[in-house]
Amino acid sequence: MNDETAASPRGDAAHRKMDRSIGERAVLPKSPVVRAPQASTVSMEEVADRENLMRAYQKVASNRGAPGPDRQTIDEVRKHVAAVVESLRIALLEGTYGPGDVRRVWIPKSGGGMRGLGIPNVIDRIVQQALHQVLSPLYDASFHGSSHGFRPGRSCQTALSEARGYIREGRSWVVDIDLEKFFDTVPHDRLMSRLGERIEDARILGVIRAFLRARVVLPNGVVMSVDEGAPQGGPLSPLLSNIVLDELDRELARRGHRFVRYADDCNIYVRSRRAAERAMASVTHFIESRLRLKVNRDKSAAAIPSERHFLGFSLGKVHVDVSTRTERRLREKVRELTPRTWGLSVSTCIAGINTYARGWVGYYGIGTRLGRLLRWADAHLRRRLRAILWTQWKKRITKVRQLMLLGVPRPLACATAQGGGRRCWDRSRAKGVVRALTNSHFEERGLLSFQALWKAHKLKQTVVASAT
């Protein structure tokens, strides 16, 4: 029996519809096809093929990742890559290959706290990538159409587009499921059982199990054994996570739900609060009893979509807004990029700002109401750059000279410099400083504007939408 009332005839049509006004145009199946799993004919010979291993090396090299516990870099492997590929090929075919340890690093999460990443040795990343290249085509064909994470031709934008289609259809409640420490708690025996349903070559299964059980080297040097989890950081982990959660997708499809999943972020869209509460209870029970994963009840909720954070956005029928968490992170990043004690050149600081601005707008530029936030970002960045320059000028005579060189009359330059260097933040909005370090001044120095980038992004979207 469905957790939600019977779906309307419009459901499948809405599922096929993709919103062209948001991000890149999604290219998805016309309906969420879920094919029955079948045993494969993939073999270790395909994984260990020289051409496959070489393509894997090239992919790993292009990512320029950090070295693993053995400290060997991509550049060092490049010097004798032919010999490395040949030795890997022989070891994989003869069954003598064994992965090394994995280096654990911690990075901050956007919602607070720290996320653990596992960094395998370069050699092990090549093998993982070679496995991924062979196994991904096999599994991707049977994944559900509403699974968007780490899949070719899909992205955060396609996930958001599908979610908006459900909201516009009238599914005004969302069940937002948050899996607690998903990548660290995947049960190895269940994952290997799932892999064994499709993969017949025991050598492939053995290598994957060895990767899952590779020891972890903590930042303090302590080495620990692992009996669960598929840590983020290796090329194979995203595929393994989709294989684990494909069982959830199949169950949601069986129940007739409309849902969108991106990695371990899963949103189910229903028509009423009562349906949302029923779905929350039953799906939580399925995840914890059947998949043996844990739902974070503090972060999961049945709510109106605009009140939730999904891939950095709050979604409504009309607007796509960045979430409160995303806005807070942007404000924090602006301050991180422009510390008042910046010791390098302002040009270097501007280069860092520009890199971040391009990336931010490239992803969040699909937001429909960013004007206020981006006006603040541009203005605040310029003021913080003024404070940096004022601090770097140090002596009063230097301040007067610099202001005059930038067109400020001597009396105003002297009066402005009288403030000294101890109040750089106050001085950053003084009349003389603003007159010298104008918006045009920073534009000439190459500073990009968040607002200008966003307008160009929207124009590009409009052109693409009209062309398609």
Side-chain angles (χ1 to χ4, degrees), residues 366-380:
I366 59 178
T368 55
R369 295 187 293 191
L370 294 177
R372 175 191 57 81
L373 176 62
L374 298 189
R375 281 194 299 272
W376 172 87
D378 285 338
H380 203 65

Side-chain angles (χ1 to χ4, degrees), residues 390-401 417:
W390 188 258
T391 301
Q392 290 185 347
W393 288 343
K394 294 182 180 179
K395 296 181 180 180
R396 181 174 179 272
I397 189 171
T398 304
K399 298 178 192 296
V400 172
R401 182 169 62 250

Side-chain angles (χ1 to χ4, degrees), residues 21-65:
S21 67
I22 165 174
E24 61 188 83
R25 186 182 179 188
V27 181
L28 298 175
K30 291 185 177 180
S31 60
V33 176
V34 184
R35 301 178 184 175
Q38 298 177 349
S40 77
T41 57
V42 296
S43 65
M44 182 58 81
E45 279 71 20
E46 293 178 67
V47 176
D49 178 74
R50 286 190 183 87
E51 183 179 347
N52 186 53
L53 286 171
M54 185 58 71
R55 284 194 296 114
Y57 156 73
Q58 292 168 350
K59 178 66 175 178
V60 171
S62 68
N63 291 334
R64 300 295 303 174

Side-chain angles (χ1 to χ4, degrees), residues 261-281:
R261 183 175 66 79
Y262 189 95
D264 56 335
D265 290 327
C266 182
N267 279 4
I268 305 167
Y269 294 89
V270 297
R271 297 184 183 277
S272 68
R273 179 174 183 171
R274 186 178 178 184
E277 291 171 348
R278 285 201 305 268
M280 171 65 80

Side-chain angles (χ1 to χ4, degrees), residues 360-362 364-367 370-372 374-375 378 449-463:
W360 195 95
V361 173
Y364 293 106
I366 59 178
L370 294 177
R372 175 191 57 81
L374 298 189
R375 281 194 299 272
D378 285 338
S449 162
F450 274 85
Q451 286 190 88
L453 288 170
W454 180 48
K455 291 176 181 177
H457 186 84
K458 290 199 299 181
L459 178 61
K460 182 180 179 181
Q461 285 181 301
T462 303
V463 171

